[in-house]
Amino acid sequence: TSPCDRSVPATAGLSHDKWEIDPQELMLMEELGSGQFGVVRRGKWRGSIDVAVKMMKEGTMSEDDFIEEAKVMTKLQHTNLVQLYGVCSKNRPIFIVTEYMRHGSLLNYLRRHEQSLTSNQGLLLDMCIQIGKGMAYLERHNYIHRDLAARNCLVGSENIVKVADFGLARYVLDDQYTSSGGSKFPIKWAPPEVLNYTRFSSKSDVWAYGVLMWEVFTCGKMPYGRLKNTEVVEKVQKGLILEKPKMCYKEVYDVMRKCWSQLPETRPSFRVLKEQLVSIAQRLL
Ligand SMILES: CNC(=O)Nc1cc(-c2cccc(-n3cnc4cc(C(C)(C)C)ccc4c3=O)c2C)cn(C)c1=O
């Protein structure tokens, strides 16, 4: 092109989309399980970096919207957030490449280690604090998770816990998951304003965080036990809240209860929650 040719900007093609990963730099290994979007496999990126690769099953996700959002998500970086490294979006199925967490989901970890964890309230409180830090970071960036729960947190080495799949709920195409009447909607982690108007906010994440704290201090029990979703909706709207877990300090339960205020504006922010839990940990441990 001649220098005065204005049709093609001089930088065209030079801007490597840093969120785009070359699939040839990935080596896929064992299957880790399958989630809302299909199979997830362990892998190596550029020969040495441990990654998890979500291989998006066709029709499970609104892919173009997600690929646009991926540019924002790769910028969200915090020790307590599972890092999105990038996407392989040039062919189908698209791959979502994230950091790898060697101990898998927090829910399974709590259930598998119940014996050793029941006597270790300090560790349980520390897990809640770590998640609180990750969520306070998302709150600062006006980023809503929409499906915070122990099943959506992951455990790494040295008892590191991180929040995973934040914001992905917006791209799920399965309306059994997205509509509050659907069989896969996370009713037991949803506050009244989400049950009634699907009004998500950082304060609805705070409600879910309270339920997540209850999951941690019960080592992975199912909230509201065997109650059906319809019964939970009725009781939550009447103000019923989860009972104090047996091995949970009263001060910690008081923090959970604040997360379950009926009105979103009376719930504490993650910034305040994190400070309250850290000061309890310093006093009690
Ligand atoms: C032994 N180590 C490991 O197994 N490590 C890991 C397992 C998984 C893994 C494996 C299978 C399925 C899922 N999974 C589960 N729930 C999901 C829920 C959603 C929403 C939208 C419903 C929230 C989206 C995606 C998923 C999803 O991919 C995950 C996170 C991901 N990562 C990063 C690991 O380090």
Side-chain angles (χ1 to χ4, degrees):
T1 52
S2 68
C4 63
D5 174 346
R6 288 282 170 268
S7 63
V8 180
T11 56
L14 295 182
S15 66
H16 296 290
D17 299 336
K18 55 195 163 318
W19 57 85
E20 188 64 32
I21 286 175
D22 177 354
Q24 289 179 327
E25 293 180 331
L26 286 175
M27 184 177 68
L28 295 181
M29 295 151 73
E30 80 274 12
E31 192 176 307
L32 295 169
S34 61
Q36 192 63 30
F37 300 124
V39 167
V40 181
R41 292 175 67 175
R42 183 167 172 212
K44 289 279 186 188
W45 182 29
R46 293 180 178 162
S48 61
I49 303 169
D50 278 322
V51 293
V53 182
K54 298 188 202 302
M55 305 160 82
M56 309 311 292
K57 204 164 96 200
E58 307 284 321
T60 57
M61 164 191 254
S62 44
E63 295 178 351
D64 296 343
D65 297 353
F66 166 72
I67 291 162
E68 197 51 38
E69 180 68 13
K71 304 170 188 174
V72 173
M73 293 169 107
T74 46
K75 292 191 178 61
L76 294 169
Q77 303 181 358
H78 185 275
T79 40
N80 298 112
L81 295 183
V82 174
Q83 182 63 46
L84 172 69
Y85 290 141
V87 294
C88 307
S89 66
K90 298 301 179 214
N91 32 42
R92 296 292 178 269
I94 61 168
F95 292 174
I96 298 179
V97 183
T98 73
E99 89 178 275
Y100 172 70
M101 303 288 283
R102 58 197 292 247
H103 293 298
S105 95
L106 174 60
L107 182 59
N108 295 337
Y109 188 84
L110 290 166
R111 291 175 173 171
R112 267 201 318 267
H113 297 79
E114 177 167 11
Q115 299 315 316
S116 60
L117 289 173
T118 33
S119 52
N120 195 341
Q121 284 216 42
L123 180 55
L124 296 179
L125 186 51
D126 184 62
M127 288 177 165
C128 294
I129 290 171
Q130 289 185 63
I131 295 161
K133 287 176 178 172
M135 290 308 296
Y137 174 91
L138 287 183
E139 182 183 72
R140 269 199 305 283
H141 288 76
N142 300 314
Y143 212 88
I144 305 167
H145 189 297
R146 289 180 175 78
D147 193 355
L148 180 62
R151 66 179 171 277
N152 289 327
C153 293
L154 293 165
V155 184
S157 27
E158 291 112 47
N159 290 316
I160 288 263
V161 184
K162 303 195 182 197
V163 178
D165 299 321
F166 36 91
L168 279 190
R170 290 171 293 173
Y171 306 104
V172 174
L173 287 176
D174 178 357
D175 51 21
Q176 281 307 317
Y177 172 79
T178 51
S179 80
S180 58
S183 59
K184 296 180 193 165
F185 190 87
I187 288 281
K188 295 181 168 181
W189 284 261
E193 74 273 11
V194 167
L195 297 174
N196 293 317
Y197 320 107
T198 40
R199 189 177 301 144
F200 290 100
S201 66
S202 281
K203 290 301 179 68
S204 63
D205 279 351
V206 163
W207 177 289
Y209 178 75
V211 180
L212 189 157
M213 287 179 68
W214 187 90
E215 290 183 276
V216 168
F217 279 90
T218 58
C219 288
K221 293 273 179 302
M222 171 58 81
Y224 312 98
R226 322 192 61 70
L227 277 189
K228 287 196 287 299
N229 275 349
T230 45
E231 293 167 323
V232 172
V233 171
E234 188 197 328
K235 289 181 179 292
V236 161
Q237 284 170 329
K238 282 184 184 157
L240 168 114
I241 59 166
L242 291 160
E243 77 289 351
K244 187 181 88 61
K246 273 186 290 302
M247 44 132 200
C248 169
Y249 294 117
K250 176 137 180 21
E251 297 97 316
V252 173
Y253 183 59
D254 289 342
V255 172
M256 289 185 210
R257 291 169 60 137
K258 286 184 203 150
C259 297
W260 300 324
S261 309
Q262 287 287 316
L263 291 176
E265 49 275 11
T266 39
R267 292 169 211 150
S269 64
F270 280 108
R271 187 182 58 75
V272 166
L273 276 169
K274 186 203 70 173
E275 285 164 2
Q276 287 178 349
L277 292 176
V278 166
S279 67
I280 292 170
Q282 283 159 355
R283 219 175 330 116
L284 291 175
L285 307 160

